[in-house]
Amino acid sequence: MSNIIDGKGLANTIKEEIAVEVAKIRDAGGKIPHLAAVLVGEDAASQVYVRNKVRSCEQVGFESTMIRKDISTTEEELLEIVAELNNDDEIDGFIVQLPLPKHINEEKITLAIDPRKDVDGFHPANFGRMAQGLPAYLPATPFGIMQMLDRYDIDVEGKECVVLGRSNIVGTPISILLSRKARPGNATVSLCHSRTKDLKSHTLRADIIIAALGIPEFLTADMVKEGVVIIDVGINRVDDENAKRGYRLTGDVKYDEVAAKASYITPVPGGVGPMTVTSLLMNTLKSCRGEVYGK
Ligand code: NAD
């Protein structure tokens, strides 16, 4: 029987630790970390994500600023907001929630964010620093996964890790982090994707599998070996007449049957998801302390 990696519980523990740090800063009369979040448009999922981020700031004692703009906001207007936040000494870090409306070029906005305030870790400057093992703001989801492996004391060194999916926000950065000369790290990593041949031959020899494809219940029991560690990043909506909302959330892993073979597994929901907000808070605290780019 597998051990369940409780992302929700771990995220709460880390939040409590951050709250203690914030209290110390407050007692010493230092600057309180301040995160700003920019939300453009009415995307329902984005509203929930941003609300969660702002609520988490309140929980740990951070200052937070929420900037809401309607869907008609132009790219120029958004670039102006980014420039203002870049220059505002009060703001330690900020995020522009993706996806943006189609008339706004996401890449242009990401590049306009000062890497010193890029607490989402999406700017190529932070991505490059991460790849070279320099201090950097790590992207939220991979950072959360590394925290999970670390806190659950899961041995990564020398292990065969298979990452499914090569997105810029999950698959590619987690493959870099797992192979870095660090702790956790030093794994032998295979990055698999839609053009990978005989995917099962890779997953069958994996000690650790990170599933980030966005295909509901893709990874099945016949694809994994006994004792595997499973990190399920997928968040997929699947129609379900019996569910109140008409759908349920499922990961990229067929949970019950894979759990029966796994030594550790993350549930969906309550696994990787809650850890991403925690990463954002940790990056903001680092920024406030000047731990990545100096004061
Ligand atoms: P994406 O949707 O941008 O890309 C999917 C990747 O999967 C691609 O690299 C593609 O090559 C690969 N892929 C597709 N079909 C494949 C196949 N049959 N075999 C092997 N590889 C295949 O990826 P993403 O943005 O990283 O999202 C992946 C999933 O993770 C989604 O369900 C998303 O909702 C979820 N997600 C969760 C969190 C979180 O906080 N838990 C954060 C980000 C994304």
Side-chain angles (χ1 to χ4, degrees):
M1 200 50 207
S2 61
N3 295 299
I4 294 170
I5 301 181
D6 175 12
K8 200 172 170 196
L10 180 54
N12 283 335
T13 303
I14 295 175
K15 277 188 204 164
E16 281 163 20
E17 291 169 8
I18 295 174
V20 169
E21 293 305 309
V22 177
K24 281 188 203 157
I25 295 173
R26 198 181 289 277
D27 288 348
K31 183 190 176 305
I32 302 298
H34 190 158
L35 175 76
V38 185
L39 176 61
V40 183
E42 303 291 331
D43 182 83
S46 294
Q47 290 188 33
V48 174
Y49 292 148
V50 171
R51 215 178 303 133
N52 270 342
K53 290 168 187 176
V54 170
R55 196 182 313 130
S56 297
C57 284
E58 285 161 8
Q59 281 172 356
V60 300
F62 281 10
E63 305 284 349
S64 63
T65 298
M66 167 92 172
I67 301 173
R68 290 197 68 151
K69 303 302 282 182
D70 63 54
I71 195 152
S72 65
T73 305
T74 64
E75 189 175 279
E76 287 66 34
E77 284 166 340
L78 186 55
L79 284 169
E80 259 171 49
I81 293 169
V82 168
E84 277 167 25
L85 291 168
N86 281 343
N87 293 320
D88 186 343
D89 289 342
E90 170 54 31
I91 303 292
D92 297 295
F94 65 97
I95 58 149
V96 178
Q97 183 66 43
L98 302 179
L100 288 168
K102 290 209 165 44
H103 62 275
I104 300 178
N105 182 334
E106 286 184 356
E107 197 181 298
K108 210 166 168 182
I109 301 300
T110 302
L111 287 171
I113 296 174
D114 184 341
R116 292 165 178 269
K117 296 196 176 184
D118 167 44
V119 285
D120 253 342
F122 289 164
H123 193 286
N126 280 313
F127 201 97
R129 291 172 73 102
M130 171 191 71
Q132 293 193 345
L134 298 169
Y137 300 123
L138 302 181
T141 305
F143 190 12
I145 295 169
M146 296 304 275
Q147 290 286 317
M148 283 179 147
L149 295 170
D150 190 27
R151 300 279 185 129
Y152 274 80
D153 217 9
I154 291 169
D155 199 11
V156 174
E157 185 162 320
K159 301 287 179 192
E160 293 286 337
C161 290
V162 168
V163 177
L164 304 178
R166 58 179 162 191
S167 73
N168 282 341
I169 59 167
V170 186
T172 298
I174 192 68
S175 72
I176 293 171
L177 288 171
L178 288 168
S179 56
R180 276 194 338 187
K181 195 172 179 179
R183 230 192 116 76
N186 286 319
T188 305
V189 181
S190 304
L191 180 53
C192 298
H193 44 76
S194 51
R195 308 284 173 92
T196 297
K197 292 206 171 75
D198 193 7
L199 190 90
K200 194 171 164 182
S201 69
H202 294 280
T203 55
L204 270 176
R205 61 176 171 73
D207 301 308
I208 301 172
I209 298 177
I210 316 282
L213 324 94
I215 304 178
E217 302 183 333
F218 176 88
L219 192 76
T220 46
D222 60 307
M223 296 170 76
V224 305
K225 72 176 182 187
E226 210 57 58
V228 65
V229 173
I230 300 285
I231 308 289
D232 188 355
V233 184
I235 303 178
N236 309 293
R237 282 186 182 190
V238 179
D239 291 341
D240 184 348
E241 286 172 4
N242 299 322
K244 228 198 285 173
R245 290 173 294 188
Y247 67 87
R248 64 188 164 84
L249 290 182
T250 177
D252 290 349
V253 176
K254 198 152 193 179
Y255 186 85
D256 288 340
E257 61 176 54
V258 174
K261 286 178 96 174
S263 57
Y264 286 91
I265 189 164
T266 61
V268 177
V272 175
M275 295 296 294
T276 55
V277 177
T278 317
S279 304
L280 189 64
L281 298 175
M282 287 173 78
N283 280 343
T284 306
L285 182 62
K286 279 187 183 184
S287 174
C288 186
R289 288 175 163 165
E291 283 177 11
V292 174
Y293 288 94
K295 283 270 186 192

